[in-house]
Amino acid sequence: MTHYVCDLYGNTNWNLPIEEVSARTFNTEQEAEQWFKDKCSGNSIEFSGFHDTERYVTNWVSCDGKEVGEITKRPSSNEF
C-alpha cells in the first residue's frame, strides 16, 4: 500500500525520531495535504502536484509563495 510522507524544510524528517516521522505519514494524499494546510493555516498554500524525481514521486508545498516542504509518495516496504 502506498503512503504519503510530509516533510517540513525547517524541521526536516532527517532530524526527527521515527515516532514523529510516523505522525507525518498518511494513507491518502488528502490527509497529507490537510496536514500542511493545518501547519500553514491562515496563509496561502499551494501544491505543485506530484512529479517524478530520482527517489520518490514528490509534491512540493509552498506557503505564502515560499517553498516550505514536500509530500513524497512512497511504496510500502514490501513493494520495493
Side-chain angles (χ1 to χ4, degrees):
M1 180 176 187
T2 300
H3 59 276
Y4 299 83
V5 180
C6 297
D7 196 4
L8 280 171
Y9 295 151
N11 189 15
T12 182
N13 292 344
W14 288 104
N15 300 323
L16 298 176
I18 190 73
E19 297 82 18
E20 288 188 49
V21 176
S22 293
R24 297 175 172 201
T25 302
F26 302 95
N27 292 321
T28 68
E29 177 182 346
Q30 293 76 20
E31 291 172 313
E33 286 183 356
Q34 186 61 51
W35 185 85
F36 270 105
K37 288 176 184 175
D38 292 343
K39 296 292 178 196
C40 294
S41 65
N43 298 307
S44 172
I45 190 165
E46 294 180 40
F47 299 93
S48 70
F50 283 95
H51 303 273
D52 286 325
T53 67
E54 290 178 19
R55 287 184 61 119
Y56 301 111
V57 178
T58 303
N59 185 348
W60 288 276
V61 182
S62 296
C63 189
D64 286 339
K66 179 183 176 194
E67 195 170 302
V68 295
E70 60 189 40
I71 301 169
T72 53
K73 183 178 177 180
R74 301 182 187 192
S76 297
S77 56
N78 60 354
E79 295 179 21
F80 285 107

